[in-house]
Amino acid sequence: VSVTWLSLGVGVPVPANENFTRWLEGRSKVWPVLLNHTPPDRSGLWFAETFEGGAESRWKSSVPGHNGTWKIGKRRREALVGDLGLILLKEGAKHPIAAGIPQFSFQGKSFVLQMEIKFQNDLYCGGAFLQAFHRAGQPLENFGNGTQSVVLFGPDRCGSKGRVAMLFFFQNPVSKQFEASMGTKYVPLPPNDRLTHIFTLAVNKDSTYEILVDQETQAFGSLYQDLEPSVIPPEEIDDLSDVKPDTWVQQARIHDPAAAQPDDWDETAPEFIEDADAYPLAGWLHDAPSHIPDPKAVKPRDWDEETDGVWETPLTPNPECTVGCGPWKRPMIPNPAYKGQWVPRKIDNPDYRGEWKPRQVKNPNYFRETNAYGRLHAVDGIGLDLWSEQANVLFDNIIIATSLDAAKAFADRTWRVRRQVEDAQRAGRDSMSAVEQPVFAWQKWAAAVCLIIGVAIGFFLVLCRHWSRRRSRRQIAELIARATAPPEGGLDV
């Protein structure tokens, strides 16, 4: 990547790749770190959207019935100067928007879906799902209304719960209906740090998959094992016309009808009774109150009974109640005769027939699954149909590739460079004071110059004051000398 570091209009060449991160971290402590954005190389990709060159004409929003708004613009805090992205603007609204892509068929090649997302206001509740869909002859403005989603992928969070979701819509070759299957493996979300994160889903022609977040593998497996419901259809299904008989007993245990309550079982006995062996301690004052009026309390001078009411002396603990005062009550203890309500014992139900299940019949839509990946319908559009409680969600560098290596190479040319700059910017902010604006080198030089000038002025003033004092003392001495000196002709006697 050929980029230039910018600061105060000064261009500085970027050093070699192996020293790039160290160079950025060093610069971030003195200068604001920014890089010029250069349109990335798209070679080796099936489709790439970087939101440059008239992207507004390529993306169509489904306006009717929805109140969400989008725009193509810059990030709040830029890392690559001039780079654009698709920004969700309105919170608490539905935002469907779509673009066409060259038709992709899931035959003989892998499918890799990748996108960058920057949650500029964090993500507390909402999803950021990218869909690959079949337009079915519909215009892009009808996305979500007559179109068929095939792959859905992206982060989802609400409160403390969140994950990266993966969802496929497989078409049954017999019924021709689309059936949704969701990934069962948990993929954690990246932190809420307002940095740019990249999400990658790679599905291979052998029906294996891999999920990466920030270029690190988070999950991998097989479409045959890690989807719910399974892509392998059952040979038999429940007969929907079958009904449980009224005489069917599925209660495994029942009360013993032969059991009888013992004659000595007293259900009226209380659970707790007074302790007959308890007595008040010596010195307990039965007739003395526990609190008495405070003899030290004085009615405030500004107390107005018309507005404040009748003044009452506050109470204070009775000093005579060293052991206890007031009526004494026996403590409660468990009643040894308490048995509670009598319940007959339980026995196995002789009429129990087990849990009822409808009878099984052959699945009319059964087929032998041999290629789950190849059963995915061809797609010719990508879209975002989102409901988010946060605004300013930015999407960028949405690509479809036929190999994971090509997607990783593109990420190295785009996301990794941006992320290194963002990390350096954050490191620079963290290394400075709590003030948001960094202290630049020219500011340091200006402060030093001001200090030198201030010291020089102060020294000059002190020197002037010293000279003034010396001159004053010399003038006084001369006056005294003149006043005390004898006249030239001597003194008259």
Side-chain angles (χ1 to χ4, degrees):
V1 178
S2 176
V3 288
T4 303
W5 172 71
L6 300 177
S7 177
L8 301 175
V10 180
V12 180
V14 174
N17 290 336
E18 58 269 16
N19 297 321
F20 185 57
T21 303
R22 185 184 304 172
W23 180 84
L24 284 174
E25 291 177 351
R27 289 291 183 182
S28 67
K29 297 178 181 178
V30 180
W31 301 92
V33 178
L34 296 172
L35 296 181
N36 272 337
H37 169 65
T38 301
D41 180 12
R42 306 183 184 189
S43 59
L45 302 178
W46 186 271
F47 167 81
E49 177 58 88
T50 58
F51 299 99
E52 298 165 333
E56 294 88 349
S57 62
R58 297 191 295 270
W59 287 82
K60 305 297 182 181
S61 180
S62 300
V63 178
H66 306 109
N67 58 351
T69 54
W70 298 84
K71 80 168 184 178
I72 294 176
K74 299 179 181 179
R75 293 154 178 80
R76 286 181 173 178
R77 181 185 294 276
E78 289 190 295
L80 305 181
V81 177
D83 191 15
L84 303 176
L86 180 64
I87 307 174
L88 180 152
L89 294 178
K90 193 173 181 179
E91 62 184 23
K94 191 171 178 61
H95 299 74
I97 192 169
I101 64 171
Q103 180 168 298
F104 185 98
S105 63
F106 296 84
Q107 302 293 331
K109 56 185 177 295
S110 297
F111 174 80
V112 183
L113 188 64
Q114 182 170 277
M115 60 180 168
E116 295 179 18
I117 306 179
K118 184 179 179 69
F119 297 103
Q120 301 184 105
N121 290 0
D122 294 331
L123 176 62
Y124 298 108
C125 193
F129 307 119
L130 179 63
Q131 299 184 36
F133 65 94
H134 173 52
R135 296 169 63 177
Q138 299 289 328
L140 290 173
E141 289 82 358
N142 285 6
F143 169 55
N145 182 21
T147 60
Q148 176 58 57
S149 295
V150 177
V151 180
L152 184 148
F153 173 70
D156 181 30
R157 181 196 299 274
C158 199
S160 60
K161 297 181 179 179
R163 60 177 298 182
V164 179
M166 174 183 69
L167 185 66
F168 297 95
F169 295 84
F170 294 92
Q171 187 176 27
N172 187 301
V174 179
S175 67
K176 304 301 180 183
Q177 299 296 316
F178 285 86
E179 301 164 347
S181 293
M182 177 173 284
T184 57
K185 287 191 175 180
Y186 173 72
V187 179
L189 291 176
N192 257 344
D193 52 15
R194 302 193 180 188
L195 301 180
T196 301
H197 296 279
I198 188 168
F199 301 85
T200 309
L201 170 63
V203 191
N204 303 312
K205 56 187 178 180
D206 63 354
S207 296
T208 58
Y209 71 91
E210 184 174 356
I211 296 176
L212 299 89
V213 178
D214 292 344
Q215 294 294 81
E216 297 291 334
T217 299
Q218 299 295 328
F220 60 90
S222 170
L223 300 182
Y224 296 113
Q225 300 173 353
D226 300 334
L227 296 181
E228 180 63 35
S230 174
V231 297
I232 302 176
E235 294 188 39
E236 293 184 333
I237 60 174
D238 293 341
D239 184 357
L240 300 180
S241 64
D242 194 12
V243 180
K244 183 178 70 171
D246 295 336
T247 58
W248 189 280
V249 178
Q250 56 183 24
Q251 187 175 0
R253 291 178 65 81
I254 61 173
H255 293 297
D256 185 359
Q261 180 176 342
D263 295 336
D264 60 348
W265 191 286
D266 185 5
E267 292 183 343
T268 63
E271 185 176 359
F272 294 95
I273 58 175
E274 292 184 351
D275 185 0
D277 297 329
Y279 295 95
L281 298 174
W284 187 283
L285 304 178
H286 295 272
D287 299 327
S290 61
H291 288 75
I292 61 174
D294 187 356
K296 298 180 181 179
V298 179
K299 179 180 178 180
R301 293 182 179 180
D302 58 349
W303 187 275
D304 186 354
E305 293 190 354
E306 292 183 359
T307 58
D308 300 329
V310 179
W311 185 79
E312 296 180 356
T313 306
L315 299 178
T316 185
N318 190 346
E320 296 181 1
C321 296
T322 56
V323 177
C325 291
W328 180 83
K329 294 183 179 180
R330 295 181 185 274
M332 304 297 286
I333 60 174
N335 184 2
Y338 173 75
K339 293 186 177 181
Q341 185 180 3
W342 180 83
V343 179
R345 65 177 178 272
K346 284 193 171 185
I347 60 173
D348 293 336
N349 188 351
D351 298 326
Y352 175 67
R353 299 180 61 182
E355 190 73 21
W356 182 85
K357 294 181 180 179
R359 61 175 173 266
Q360 299 293 289
V361 296
K362 289 185 177 181
N363 184 358
N365 297 321
Y366 173 76
F367 63 94
R368 184 177 178 81
E369 179 64 273
T370 58
N371 184 8
Y373 176 78
R375 195 154 56 87
L376 292 169
H377 196 287
V379 295
D380 54 3
I382 56 172
L384 299 159
D385 188 2
L386 310 180
W387 177 279
S388 179
E389 294 299 326
Q390 286 75 49
N392 291 304
V393 181
L394 185 143
F395 298 83
D396 197 6
N397 294 325
I398 300 174
I399 69 166
I400 294 176
T402 57
S403 74
L404 183 57
D405 289 339
K408 287 183 175 180
F410 183 79
D412 287 339
R413 298 192 295 268
T414 53
W415 171 80
R416 192 168 297 281
V417 175
R418 183 196 321 280
R419 185 56 185 269
Q420 288 175 331
V421 175
E422 290 179 344
D423 288 341
Q425 289 176 337
R426 183 173 61 173
R429 293 194 301 271
D430 293 344
S431 65
M432 298 176 186
S433 65
V435 180
E436 179 67 19
Q437 297 296 330
V439 180
F440 303 137
W442 66 268
Q443 293 173 316
K444 295 181 179 180
W445 282 107
V449 171
C450 291
L451 179 62
I452 294 174
I453 293 175
V455 171
I457 293 175
F459 178 76
F460 179 74
L461 293 176
V462 171
L463 186 62
C464 289
R465 185 177 181 184
H466 176 70
W467 286 343
S468 176
R469 288 182 176 179
R470 290 188 59 186
R471 183 176 179 180
S472 298
R473 287 197 296 269
R474 186 166 55 252
Q475 291 176 344
I476 294 172
E478 291 177 356
L479 291 174
I480 294 174
R482 292 176 184 176
T484 57
E488 295 181 358
L491 295 174
D492 294 335
V493 180

